[in-house]
Amino acid sequence: MNISIFVCLLFALQFIYWLVGRRASKNLIGNEDYFLAGKSVRLFPLMMTFLATQVGGGVILGAADEAYMFGWPVLLYPLGAALGLILLGAGIGRKLAGFNVSTVAEIFEVVYRSVMLRKVASILSVISLFMILVAQIIASNKFLVSMGINNTSLFIAFWAIVIIYTAQGGLKAVISTDLVQAAFFSTVFLACFGFVLYTNPAVQSLQLPQLEHFENVSSKLCGWLLMPLLFMVIEQDMGQRCFAGASPRIVSRAALLAGIVTMVVCIVPVFFGSLANNIGLEVPAGGSVLMAAIAKTTNPWITALVGCAVLAAIISTATSLINAISSNISSDFKLPILQRASTMRMVQGITCIISIAAIFFAFYFDNVVDLLIQSYELSVSCLFVPIFIALFKKRGNFLAAILSILFGSIGFLLFRVHPIAFPKEIASILLSFLGYGCGELIILYQTGRLNKNAEGNNV
């Protein structure tokens, strides 16, 4: 691949994203406009931003790397995200859109009537989203290095452009650039897939997955499939899009369509990872399996376009995460600094600080997929049960919610220190359900005693 072609294409696209984001950032009025795009997002842009949020570095680069080792069963990893979107489309997204809130954590204040629980949920959400953001930045750095670009100044310039338009325009800028980026990477990935499918004879030797292939990854299936699926229900950046939809019906349709397109797009990296393994392609240490396979089976121009498409996918997920974290911090905590200064300027400043901090932390982690799965598991273990129940129960039990979070966090930590034969992810969720049940029983017992005492006093 010609590095000059790649760099020129990359920064030309970055300039286009900046122009689109700058145009969308005009006439912002208040926090609702900045974080929820005025709650007026229509079907097609909402579908594309759902797609762009889910198809990131972990799904593209991580899935190709895992497919190189394990083959076609790695389809279960992006399948978790696709099924999560379909779950939103089947009714969960409609229920989320029905809440008059700005963050998922605010549901704890509405349903469980507790500001403290809202802050706890927000902190857990911020930690998980921040770890996922770090994973996206790691993916971009590893990717650029694998392409032969190990230049810190170029890396910083690349992310500086992203930070500028994300901080300026909030969710409006994010959705506008998501639309362009998702259209670009989907077109390039599928065109590249079609090109190799019809021009490369090595494709004919690819085998369909056998039962023993799934046995080799049985220990990873729960993390690959279950965690991304359940995380979709409680994820702030996805919830933010549900709250921003023009209507609950539009949210459901957009999520359903995005789930289908996500699965179609994610076949591409798994295909190339499996193909690389099948033809015995040697990938240099620290290299990208996806790009090595594409460079081997296509030409320099296609390779450069796919490189830009991978980075577009990473950026689109990262900008969503940055805005979601900023939303949690600005909306769920009454920060004195926001009361004393220009709110919009301070919110934009918080967005910049989050982005810079994530770049700093990215240098201390390495495995993208494992970091993503741990991020999903932390939030799912602690927050899935009380949030899921809140979708179907208008008035919740404070004690049940806090015990559910406590038991889930204990499970998350305990099953890492003392591994068990049973999948630790499911065990943590079951513990969280147990905590919720204990809280309900305690309140039921206390209510019964109070009723008996009242009857005794009446007699």
Side-chain angles (χ1 to χ4, degrees):
M1 185 194 75
N2 189 308
I3 297 296
S4 299
I5 293 174
F6 172 68
V7 172
C8 290
L9 276 174
L10 178 62
F11 279 93
L13 287 166
Q14 284 288 78
F15 180 69
I16 292 170
Y17 303 152
W18 174 75
L19 284 177
V20 171
R22 186 166 177 263
R23 182 181 177 184
S25 65
K26 292 180 179 178
N27 303 318
L28 283 175
I29 304 171
N31 281 7
E32 184 173 295
D33 234 17
Y34 189 84
F35 290 124
L36 298 177
K39 294 189 175 183
S40 59
V41 185
R42 307 302 301 176
L43 177 63
F44 185 68
L46 191 59
M47 182 200 79
M48 295 299 274
T49 193
F50 275 139
L51 171 66
T53 302
Q54 290 307 308
V55 181
V59 170
I60 299 300
L61 297 177
D65 290 347
E66 296 288 310
Y68 182 67
M69 293 186 288
F70 301 112
W72 285 106
V74 177
L75 275 173
L76 291 172
Y77 175 56
L79 181 62
L83 289 177
L85 283 165
I86 291 170
L87 183 65
L88 284 180
I92 299 297
R94 185 187 293 265
K95 286 186 174 293
L96 283 170
F99 283 97
N100 187 25
V101 296
S102 57
T103 67
V104 173
E106 193 176 346
I107 292 173
F108 282 87
E109 184 175 352
V110 173
V111 176
Y112 297 106
R113 302 178 299 283
S114 171
V115 175
M116 184 268 285
L117 278 180
R118 176 183 178 178
K119 290 180 178 179
V120 169
S122 187
I123 290 168
L124 288 168
S125 177
V126 166
I127 292 170
S128 292
L129 292 173
F130 188 79
M131 289 168 67
I132 298 170
L133 175 59
V134 169
Q136 302 305 315
I137 297 171
I138 292 169
S140 69
N141 188 39
K142 290 179 71 173
F143 180 73
L144 287 171
V145 170
S146 74
M147 300 285 281
I149 302 173
N150 192 8
N151 187 309
T152 304
S153 299
L154 199 66
F155 181 73
I156 291 172
F158 170 79
W159 279 104
I161 296 170
V162 176
I163 292 168
I164 288 168
Y165 70 70
T166 305
Q168 277 185 335
L171 190 62
K172 279 189 173 180
V174 170
I175 290 175
S176 297
T177 52
D178 277 354
L179 204 159
V180 176
Q181 289 159 348
F184 174 67
F185 70 64
S186 299
T187 302
V188 171
F189 288 151
L190 293 174
C192 180
F193 175 68
F195 177 83
V196 173
L197 200 63
Y198 288 104
T199 62
N200 197 301
V203 173
Q204 297 175 5
S205 62
L206 273 177
Q207 296 181 345
L208 292 173
Q210 305 296 318
L211 183 60
E212 57 268 21
H213 296 159
F214 288 92
E215 291 174 354
N216 294 335
V217 297
S218 58
S219 62
K220 292 177 173 277
L221 291 184
C222 189
W224 281 353
L225 186 61
L226 188 64
M227 288 300 107
L229 191 158
L230 298 182
F231 187 62
M232 199 74 63
V233 178
I234 62 173
E235 192 177 351
Q236 167 59 17
D237 55 344
M238 299 304 289
Q240 196 175 8
R241 279 148 182 76
C242 292
F243 306 144
S247 71
R249 184 183 177 187
I250 284 175
V251 170
S252 291
R253 291 172 62 193
L256 187 61
L257 291 170
I260 296 168
V261 178
T262 296
M263 199 61 235
V264 172
V265 171
C266 289
I267 290 172
V268 177
V270 177
F271 165 78
F272 279 107
S274 301
L275 181 64
N277 177 276
N278 193 67
I279 64 178
L281 183 65
E282 291 187 11
V283 181
S288 165
V289 171
L290 177 67
M291 295 311 299
I294 288 172
K296 179 74 174 177
T297 55
T298 64
N299 59 56
W301 273 99
I302 292 178
T303 306
L305 278 170
V306 172
C308 292
V310 170
L311 287 170
I314 292 171
I315 294 167
S316 62
T317 300
T319 54
S320 299
L321 293 164
I322 292 167
N323 190 257
I325 296 168
S326 181
S327 175
N328 272 131
I329 294 172
S330 302
S331 302
D332 294 326
F333 301 91
K334 303 299 181 185
L335 300 176
I337 195 167
L338 290 177
Q339 314 302 320
R340 295 197 300 265
S342 169
T343 302
M344 187 60 65
R345 291 291 183 192
M346 289 311 306
V347 166
Q348 291 170 334
I350 290 169
T351 305
C352 288
I353 291 168
I354 291 163
S355 309
I356 295 166
I359 294 171
F360 175 79
F361 274 90
F363 292 102
Y364 294 92
F365 296 92
D366 183 60
N367 191 306
V368 174
V369 173
D370 285 351
L371 184 60
L372 285 172
I373 296 301
Q374 288 181 38
S375 305
Y376 295 149
E377 191 182 338
L378 172 63
S379 274
V380 170
S381 297
C382 300
L383 301 178
F384 174 75
V385 172
I387 290 176
F388 185 75
I389 291 173
L391 296 177
F392 302 94
K393 191 175 182 181
K394 291 183 178 180
R395 286 296 177 188
N397 180 334
F398 167 80
L399 182 61
I402 198 167
L403 286 179
S404 179
I405 294 172
L406 180 62
F407 278 41
S409 61
I410 290 171
F412 176 78
L413 297 171
L414 179 65
F415 300 132
R416 273 169 168 68
V417 178
H418 299 288
I420 57 175
F422 194 73
K424 64 181 183 299
E425 300 90 352
I426 297 177
S428 297
I429 294 170
L430 291 176
L431 264 183
S432 183
F433 268 113
L434 177 63
Y436 198 96
C438 288
E440 290 284 5
L441 288 173
I442 290 169
I443 294 299
L444 190 63
Y445 174 73
Q446 289 177 344
T447 303
R449 288 192 62 183
L450 287 172
N451 289 337
K452 286 184 179 179
N453 290 337
E455 289 174 3
N457 291 335
N458 290 334
V459 172

